Amino acid sequence: MHSKRMKRLDSRAAWGYVFVLPTLLFVLIMNIWPIINSVYISFTDASGFSTPHWIGFGNYVKIFHSSLIGSASINTVIYAVVSVVVGTFLSLILAVALNEKMKGRAVFRTLYFLPVVSTPAAIAMVWRWLLNKDFGLVNYVLSFFGIKGPNWMGDPHWVLTAVIIVGIWSGIGYNMIILLGGMQDIPSEYYEAAQLDGAGKTRQFFNITMPLLSPTLFFVLVTSVIGSLQVFDLIFVMLDKSNPAISSARSIVYIFYDETFAKGNQGYGAAIAVVLLLVILVLTMIMMKLQKKWVTYDK
Amino acid sequence: MLKKKSLLGAVVSAALLFGMGACGNSSSGSSSSGELTMTIWDEAQKKGMEEMTQAFMKENPNVKVKVTVTPFDQYFTKLETQARGNNMSDVFWMPPEYLPKYVNGDKLLDMSEDIKKDSVDMGKYPKSVVEALSKNGKVWAMPKDYSTVGLWYNKTLFDKAGVSYPDDSWGWKDLASAAEKLTNKAAGQYGIVADNDSNFYSSLMYQNNVKVTDANGKSEIDTPAMHEALNFANSFLKKGYSPSISDQASTTPDQYFESGKAAMIYSGSWMPSEYTASGQKVDVAPLPKGKIRATPMAGLGYAIAKNTKNADAAWKYVKFMSGKTANEIQAKTKTAIPAYEGTQDAIIKAWPDINFKSFVDSSDYGTAPYYIDAWEKFKTVWGDGVGDILAGKTPVDTGLASLNKQVQSIIDEYQK
C-alpha cells in the first residue's frame, strides 16, 4: 500500500518535471544564462568586437564616480517614488469605483485597460502631440482656466513630470485590474455582516477591504517599484536625443542603453545593469520583510 | 484548472523552443542554394531596392535575393548583435560612420581583390564616397548613394516679405539678413530653424574650414574657426530669428518648416517627398557660402558579411547593385541620389518642381567628418555639448573649451 502510493506520487512528480522542463529550459537559456554572462562582462572592458580583458572592479569604480549616473539615479528615484505612490493610489480609487454596480462599468474598465495593450511607442507618440507646447490639447485645456501651460517636453523643470504623467496613465489600468480581482475575492458575507452591525461604507473599506486586499496591494507595489526603476522606453520615444531637457529625464536604464548600444561600451553597460539588479533585489527584500507589518494573509 | 494551465505553459514554451530551433536552421541552411538576404533600414527605399534586385535576378536566375527592412532605430543594435554571433545578412547597408568598427572587428568582406579581378572602375564614383568606404587601403563596401544638404525655403513667405529667393551667390551675410527680414514675431513666424541636429551647425563648421577632429584624432573643437562657426549658428537663436532649441523639443524643426512657421531650414536630399507633400510652396538652393563652399555629404555603401556562405553570389549582387543599370533604376524610382557617375539625371527629372540639381551639383564640395576609430565613443558627448551651447545652457567660449577637453580625453584614452 505504502510503496504503491509512493510509486504513484513519483510518476506524477516525474510528469510534473516533464511539463515544467520546457519552461525551465527557456528561463535558463533566455534569462539566467544572460544574467550570469552580464555579471562576467561587467568585470571586463568589453567594447565593440574586441576580445574582452578582465579589469576587476574598474567599471564599478567608474559608476560611482560618474555624475551622469548620479543625476540619472536621482531622476529614476523621483520617477519611481511619484509614479508608484500616485499610480497605486489612483488605481486603487479606480478599482473601488469600478467595483460598484454602475452603468457602463464594462466600458470604463476597458477604457482604463486600453493603455496596457497599446505599445509604449504609440502611447509616447500620442502624448508628444497632446503635450505640445503650442498646439497640444493639454495646454489648450489649461488655457481655459487662465493657466499658461508649460513647455512640457523642452523645459528641464517639467520634462520629468511629463514622463511621469504618461507613465502613470499607461500603468494604471494593469494595477486596477489586479486590484479589482483582489476585491472580488473578498467574500460578500463580511460586508453583509458589517452592514448589520451598522458599519458605513468608509468603515467597511478600511476594516474589511483594505486588510483583505493587502496581499494584492503588496503585489502591485512590488511589481510597480521594479517596473518603475527600469523605466526606459517612454523616455526614449517621447524625448529626442537632441532635446535640450533630456538630461533632466535620463533614467538609469537610459544610460545603460546609451553606453551599451550607442557608445559600444558593453562592459560598463553590463556593470550598470548589475548594479541596478542589486538595488532592485535589496529593495524587494526590504519590502518582503516590511510586509509582515501590514499585509494580512488570513481570510 | 491548475493542470490545464501548466500544460498550456509547457506547450507554449515548447513551441517557442522549437520555433527558435527552426529559425536557426533556416538561416544556416539558406545560402547553399544561391539564396541571399540584404538588410536595409529605410522602408521608403524598399520598393526601389526590390526593383533593382529584380533586375539582378533576371540576369542571374540561379541567385535569389530577399530584401528585408530593420527600422533605423534598431538597425545598428541588431547588426552588432548579429555580428557578434556571426549571423549577419549576406549583404547590408553600411554607412562610413560605422565602417571602422566593423572593419576593426573583422566582420566585413574585403572587396579589393574582386574589384581588381572584375576590373570595376572606382573612378565612376565620387572620390569622397569611395574614400569613406575604404580603410587600410582596401575597399569594404561598394558605393550605393550619397546625400547632401541644401537650403530649403518657403517661396510664399519669401514673396510676402519681399526677399529674393536664395541662389548660389548667397553667403553667410545674405543668410543672416534674410533670416531677419523673414522673422515676424507677431505672426509667430521665424526666418530659419537653427536646429541642433547636426545638419545646420556641421554645415557652418565645414564652411568655416573646421571639423570636430583632424584625421589623426586631434580635436579642433577649441579653435577660433570653431568658435566663429558656432557663434554664427548661435546668433540666429539669440536674436530670435529661430525658434529656441527648447521650443524645438515640442514642435520639431521639420514641423516648423512644413507648417509655414519657418521660412528656411538646412535639410537634406532625402526630404523632397515629405516637404513637397506639406502643402507649402517649397524649393531648395545650394547652401550659402562661408569662407569656403561646403555641404555635409554622406555616402552609403553595400557591405558583405565576412562569414557569408555565398561570397561569390554576394559579390555578384553587390557589383550589380552598385553598377550602372541598378543605379539608373535607383534614380528613376526616386530612391536616392545614385553614386554612379552620370546616372543622376533621372532623379533630377523626377523632381521637376524643385531645384534637385543643386543637391547633385553640391556633391563637388561635399564634406564629412573624419570617422576615426574613437568616433563612436565621443560622438554623443560632442552632440550633447553642442546641443547645450545652442540651447543657451553653456556659453560658446567656455562650452567649447570644456567640450574640447572631454572629447580629447576620450580619444586619447581610446588610442592609448
Side-chain angles (χ1 to χ4, degrees):
Chain A
M1 175 75 192
H2 184 77
S3 67
K4 203 175 170 191
R5 208 178 139 196
M6 277 290 282
K7 218 174 157 189
R8 230 181 82 201
L9 250 181
D10 267 350
S11 77
R12 275 185 66 179
W15 272 110
Y17 285 119
V18 169
F19 280 126
V20 167
L21 190 67
T23 320
L24 197 69
L25 277 176
F26 187 76
V27 170
L28 275 176
I29 296 168
M30 303 303 281
N31 293 348
I32 309 293
W33 178 239
I35 290 177
I36 294 170
N37 237 320
S38 294
V39 173
Y40 164 69
I41 292 172
S42 75
F43 289 105
T44 70
D45 62 353
S47 158
F49 302 116
S50 54
T51 5
H53 305 282
W54 186 267
I55 53 163
F57 281 94
N59 288 324
Y60 291 91
V61 173
K62 210 169 135 197
I63 287 178
F64 288 102
H65 285 95
S66 158
S67 60
L68 208 58
I69 296 277
S71 67
S73 308
I74 295 171
N75 293 340
T76 310
V77 168
I78 295 175
Y79 178 89
V81 170
V82 178
S83 69
V84 169
V85 171
V86 178
T88 312
F89 180 69
L90 287 178
S91 36
L92 184 62
I93 291 180
L94 276 180
V96 172
L98 293 178
N99 199 27
E100 298 293 319
K101 288 199 174 68
M102 55 184 269
K103 255 198 172 161
R105 188 166 72 164
V107 176
F108 278 110
R109 282 183 185 173
T110 315
L111 279 181
Y112 283 113
F113 195 71
L114 261 184
V116 181
V117 289
S118 315
T119 60
I123 289 174
M125 290 317 289
V126 171
W127 275 94
R128 255 180 100 132
W129 175 73
L130 287 173
L131 291 173
N132 184 296
K133 170 185 156 251
D134 299 311
F135 316 108
L137 218 54
V138 174
N139 282 1
Y140 181 68
V141 171
L142 285 177
S143 71
F144 284 124
F145 301 97
I147 302 167
K148 195 183 174 299
N151 184 356
W152 293 98
M153 262 135 16
D155 184 338
H157 299 104
W158 283 98
V159 67
L160 191 58
T161 313
V163 175
I164 289 174
I165 290 173
V166 182
I168 290 174
W169 177 82
S170 55
I172 226 169
Y174 180 74
N175 291 341
M176 178 199 76
I177 289 290
I178 291 178
L179 290 171
L180 209 52
M183 279 183 198
Q184 284 168 357
D185 266 357
I186 302 173
S188 57
E189 294 92 65
Y190 290 132
Y191 292 104
E192 283 158 18
Q195 225 164 5
L196 285 178
D197 290 343
K201 280 268 173 203
T202 328
R203 187 88 193 266
Q204 283 178 26
F205 176 76
F206 283 106
N207 286 13
I208 300 171
T209 312
M210 273 309 268
L212 293 179
L213 192 63
S214 55
T216 320
L217 203 56
F218 175 69
F219 172 81
V220 165
L221 273 176
V222 171
T223 49
S224 305
V225 167
I226 294 174
S228 61
L229 287 175
Q230 295 174 343
V231 60
F232 166 69
D233 40 12
L234 279 179
I235 304 169
F236 189 69
V237 189
M238 265 177 77
L239 310 174
D240 294 322
K241 270 180 282 209
S242 56
N243 189 320
I246 196 154
S247 57
S248 308
R250 281 193 191 112
S251 66
I252 300 213
V253 179
Y254 193 101
I255 305 281
F256 157 78
Y257 175 87
D258 199 45
E259 287 293 342
T260 314
F261 295 113
K263 295 186 192 161
N265 299 326
Q266 282 87 8
Y268 186 50
I272 296 174
V274 170
V275 169
L276 183 63
L277 176 78
L278 291 177
V279 169
I280 290 177
L281 209 65
V282 170
L283 266 180
T284 311
M285 271 159 60
I286 293 174
M287 290 200 297
M288 290 295 225
K289 279 259 184 271
L290 284 179
Q291 66 162 326
K292 286 183 190 128
K293 293 204 190 304
W294 64 280
V295 178
T296 31
Y297 277 108
D298 45 356
K299 276 190 189 162
Chain B
M1 184 62 207
L2 207 75
K3 248 187 198 163
K4 229 185 204 166
K5 240 185 197 163
S6 59
L7 187 66
L8 189 75
V11 170
V12 168
S13 32
L16 276 170
L17 278 175
F18 292 135
M20 275 163 28
C23 282
N25 278 339
S26 68
S27 62
S28 58
S30 62
S31 32
S32 53
S33 57
E35 283 178 18
L36 298 172
T37 50
M38 174 170 76
T39 305
I40 67 176
W41 66 67
D42 192 355
E43 187 68 47
Q45 290 199 32
K46 193 179 180 203
K47 241 187 101 195
M49 287 295 115
E50 276 171 345
E51 221 169 289
M52 291 153 75
T53 304
Q54 288 295 337
F56 169 76
M57 292 195 287
K58 221 174 183 180
E59 274 183 25
N60 302 274
N62 51 336
V63 185
K64 285 228 168 349
V65 189
K66 202 177 154 232
V67 179
T68 60
V69 179
T70 302
F72 186 75
D73 287 346
Q74 300 145 34
Y75 187 84
F76 293 102
T77 319
K78 197 169 167 186
L79 189 66
E80 192 177 327
T81 315
Q82 289 171 331
R84 199 158 286 131
N86 286 325
N87 198 23
M88 290 187 281
S89 294
D90 305 281
V91 179
F92 46 91
W93 285 3
M94 176 53 67
E97 190 183 340
Y98 284 86
L99 191 106
K101 176 177 178 174
Y102 285 82
V103 172
N104 292 339
D106 199 21
K107 299 296 178 190
L108 303 184
L109 196 75
D110 169 19
M111 302 185 188
S112 312
E113 288 300 310
D114 289 319
I115 290 170
K116 218 195 267 165
K117 188 186 73 198
D118 291 356
S119 43
V120 176
D121 182 5
M122 296 306 280
K124 293 283 185 193
Y125 305 99
K127 208 173 144 228
S128 65
V129 175
V130 176
E131 272 170 15
L133 299 173
S134 310
K135 189 172 162 58
N136 311 334
K138 287 169 179 162
V139 181
W140 303 95
M142 283 300 282
K144 171 191 175 294
D145 69 51
Y146 62 80
S147 55
T148 55
V149 172
L151 175 63
W152 286 90
Y153 60 99
N154 185 319
K155 284 178 162 176
T156 319
L157 298 184
F158 268 73
D159 290 343
K160 253 196 236 161
V163 182
S164 53
Y165 297 154
D167 55 38
D168 60 3
S169 72
W170 273 35
W172 279 14
K173 272 193 192 131
D174 305 289
L175 180 74
S177 79
E180 182 182 1
K181 285 179 206 148
L182 287 157
T183 301
N184 181 348
K185 280 187 188 148
Q189 179 195 315
Y190 297 95
I192 190 169
V193 201
D195 62 78
N196 66 351
D197 211 14
S198 113
N199 282 336
F200 180 62
Y201 65 78
S202 297
S203 301
L204 301 182
M205 279 162 48
Y206 301 155
Q207 288 156 8
N208 216 30
N209 222 345
V210 64
K211 295 184 181 184
V212 188
T213 70
D214 67 8
N216 301 317
K218 189 177 176 319
S219 163
E220 294 183 351
I221 294 171
D222 200 12
T223 57
M226 183 68 86
H227 282 254
E228 209 177 3
L230 279 184
N231 271 320
F232 184 58
N234 214 13
S235 66
F236 295 94
L237 293 151
K238 262 200 187 144
K239 291 176 183 159
Y241 302 159
S242 159
S244 72
I245 298 292
S246 61
D247 282 355
Q248 294 174 37
S250 233
T251 307
T252 64
D254 287 337
Q255 285 168 346
Y256 271 109
F257 184 67
E258 288 165 21
S259 59
K261 293 284 178 199
M264 297 183 281
I265 188 169
Y266 276 42
S267 197
S269 52
W270 57 91
M271 291 310 281
S273 45
E274 191 174 321
Y275 285 167
T276 54
S278 67
Q280 306 290 332
K281 268 177 69 188
V282 300
D283 204 345
V284 63
L287 290 183
K289 189 181 162 193
K291 269 184 210 149
I292 56 168
R293 275 209 174 282
T295 182
M297 177 164 162
L300 182 59
Y302 300 104
I304 302 176
K306 170 118 188 181
N307 67 317
T308 175
K309 297 217 174 73
N310 221 335
D312 288 342
W315 162 248
K316 232 177 178 181
Y317 176 57
V318 165
K319 191 175 83 176
F320 179 87
M321 292 295 277
S322 52
K324 196 168 176 224
T325 318
N327 272 304
E328 274 162 355
I329 301 173
Q330 183 167 230
K332 202 176 63 196
T333 51
K334 299 188 191 179
T335 307
I337 305 177
Y340 197 90
E341 191 184 275
T343 57
Q344 292 90 4
D345 279 352
I347 192 164
I348 295 171
K349 282 193 194 115
W351 292 111
D353 298 333
I354 56 169
N355 181 13
F356 195 90
K357 192 166 177 290
S358 66
F359 286 125
V360 177
D361 291 346
S362 59
S363 68
D364 290 346
Y365 48 85
T367 315
Y370 292 107
Y371 291 119
I372 54 171
D373 290 354
W375 174 260
E376 187 191 18
K377 304 289 173 195
F378 71 77
K379 67 173 181 190
T380 39
V381 174
W382 159 247
D384 288 356
V386 178
D388 282 351
I389 289 170
L390 293 179
K393 278 204 244 172
T394 42
V396 173
D397 46 355
T398 52
L400 285 179
S402 88
L403 198 53
N404 183 56
K405 270 188 214 140
Q406 284 180 61
V407 168
Q408 192 65 63
S409 79
I410 295 173
I411 297 173
D412 291 345
E413 195 189 334
Y414 187 85
Q415 293 185 339
K416 197 167 57 187

